[in-house]
Amino acid sequence: MADERYNRKNPAVKRILQEVKEMQANPSDDFMSLPLEENIFEWQFAIRGPGDTEFEGGIYHGRIQLPADYPFKPPSFMLLTPNGRFETNTKICLSISNYHPEHWQPSWSVRTALVALIAFMPTSPNGALGSVDYPKDERRTLAIKSRETPPKYGSPERQKIIDEIHQYILSKATVVPKPLPLECSQAPSIVSEAHSQVEPQEAITVVEERSIATTDTIVDDQIIEETAEAVNTAASVVPAAAPLPAVEVVVKASVSGEQRMARRAAQKPVDDRLFTWAAVGLTIAIMVLLLKKFIKSNGYSTGFMDDQS
Amino acid sequence: MKFCKKYEEYMQGQKEKKNLPGVGFKKLKKILKRCRRNHVPSRISFTDAINHNCSRECPVCDGTFFPELLKEMEDVVGWFNEHAQKLLELHLASGFTKCLTWLRGNSRKKDHHGLIQEGKDLVNYALINAVAIRKILKKYDKIHESRQGQAFKTQVQKMRIEILQSPWLCELMAFHINLKESKKESGATITSPPPPVHALFDGCALTFDDGKPLLSCELSDSVKVDIDLTCSICLDTVFDPISLTCGHIYCYMCACSAASVNVVDGLKTAEATEKCPLCREDGVYKGAVHLDELNILLKRSCRDYWEERRKTERAERLQQAKEYWDYQCRSFTGI
């Protein structure tokens, strides 16, 4: 019923509809995700906190934006519930998100991405973009709080989907393991013991974090440089299109295609004589064709002037 | 033991017709037997040392067993791929090419039944050799109590000389089903000959389990080969299927998009660093094989889907071709 609204000939839409069917046919207890009615490239999701961690029992909502050329480009993820591991209302940096398109595989899907997201929760952020590192007790408090009410976000339709997903996950999720009163009295001593034992490991961890942070800084610099290069490329293309306003739309539409072609052409120069002569011949033919086109488009007077010269 | 006899009978039967490369099953078994004989007496005297030594490696066997098996596997796969390709080219040839082929190969039997029999023989050959290789490796692991056989198998798959990994096997199975169906369509005028003695494989079938296409082939030895025909990129039945050198099957359009190349250029122009979307092996696009027989089979089996998909993809290819030639014009004129 709803499927008939969308343009089914678009391969991205076909792929997304297939994934929706598969999600509904095989629902999971750990997560649920639904696309918006009005825009199938916008999804709402909720994941259950992984077991045996401080996130256990928590219900974390988020939003997924699929690109127009999905599944050949990765989606972007944004978490809406405070969780102590990822920032809210900010796109997060993961190997499955659009921060790293080189790591994305077309055979991955929203399902695999959500499974990976659940697996990423207990890991150390190591200074990645969109990540935070709260203490464990604070994370547990946030987990308990996340069950009570879903976050308020977006339009009423989106909020309805969020509430629906929250109810589903709430019916599936386990209860948060609450600390007993007896353990409360013993907690300070246990914490102190753990602290004394873990102290040397913390030193090692600090060293590791510093080295990894340095690596992340280098990686971030590379990403920034790549972005700058992309911007420069786009900027250089635009002036070339300016002399021909009629062709401008076509040029903009196929910018990415041009980049691909340009790279391939640059990487494979052909020095053969035959190819050179063939290219010259083709060039002449194309010039003749363009000249004819030019004469026709500019009318009789231009043709007359050309005949004079 | 009985498989060895069966295999030897099969190879004898085949060698009468033509000189086929095969796995030297008997020879390899002899090597293993010699190795076992050498190890048994020394086990009595030094149990711990021998156990320790045995679980690691056996230099005598590794020196002769694996290189020989590797060479034989290469011969088998090479021969199989070559002949499968020839047979399929003969069947898929049309018009002038068919006439040329007919002029060249006069002595070859080109009637329907001959093609069926030849395809069946090739599939038989592939499967029986695959089973032989599997059994000899299992025996090796059993004698040496090691994992060398499995490690060897994994390495062989990486080198792409595993015969079940060959895209031509998939093509032959589709070819077999195609010919059987066209035989039914043309009527049962041809009388079937007596069944061959070594009919190991009971037949191929294209099934749709819950909408998922599956090409399956079953041996009487309870070995089964299943090939999933769902493209893992568009999550639909493959259209215009193409098999990368790692053995995974995709739609042609999906493979071109995954490799970031234009349809006009084709997969041959893909970069060596482009990876397979499933196994992430690089350099798999250059040797990709078009599975035309499989395409014909799918066209016949699910016609409505195929027609709809054809229209969609034709429009898309046309658009890509337009973009390509526009780019070419602009690059030549320098605008």
Side-chain angles (χ1 to χ4, degrees), chain B residues 87-147:
Chain B
L87 179 65
L88 292 168
E89 274 175 10
L90 182 64
H91 178 251
L92 292 170
S94 59
F96 179 73
T97 312
K98 179 173 271 184
C99 187
L100 195 65
T101 309
W102 182 81
L103 286 177
R104 193 186 305 166
N106 252 335
S107 59
R108 207 157 186 197
K109 33 180 176 175
K110 278 172 296 306
D111 64 319
H112 229 62
H113 185 72
L115 288 179
I116 292 181
Q117 190 57 43
E118 198 161 345
K120 199 166 182 179
D121 286 345
L122 278 173
V123 176
N124 263 337
Y125 175 80
L127 293 178
I128 198 168
N129 277 284
V131 172
I133 288 161
R134 188 178 298 180
K135 281 187 180 296
I136 198 69
L137 287 175
K138 193 183 289 184
K139 183 177 276 291
Y140 179 93
D141 279 345
K142 190 176 177 183
I143 286 176
H144 293 90
E145 301 163 5
S146 68
R147 297 286 176 81

Side-chain angles (χ1 to χ4, degrees), chain B residues 1 25-33 136 139:
Chain B
M1 186 61 69
F25 203 87
K26 195 173 283 185
K27 192 193 299 181
L28 292 173
K29 278 191 67 179
K30 205 173 290 181
I31 292 175
L32 289 183
K33 192 174 289 184
I136 198 69
K139 183 177 276 291

Side-chain angles (χ1 to χ4, degrees), chain A residues 15 107-108 258 264 267, chain B residues 233 265 271 277 280 327 330:
Chain A
R15 160 79 185 229
S107 56
W108 291 349
E258 279 186 345
R264 203 175 313 112
Q267 289 164 6
Chain B
I233 295 176
D265 292 331
E271 298 294 326
R280 298 204 216 182
Y327 169 75
R330 263 186 267 106

Side-chain angles (χ1 to χ4, degrees), chain B residues 57 70-71 93 106 111 119 136 181 205 226 272 331:
Chain B
E57 276 180 2
L70 190 68
K71 182 177 178 302
N106 252 335
D111 64 319
I136 198 69
E181 286 186 5
D226 281 334
S331 67

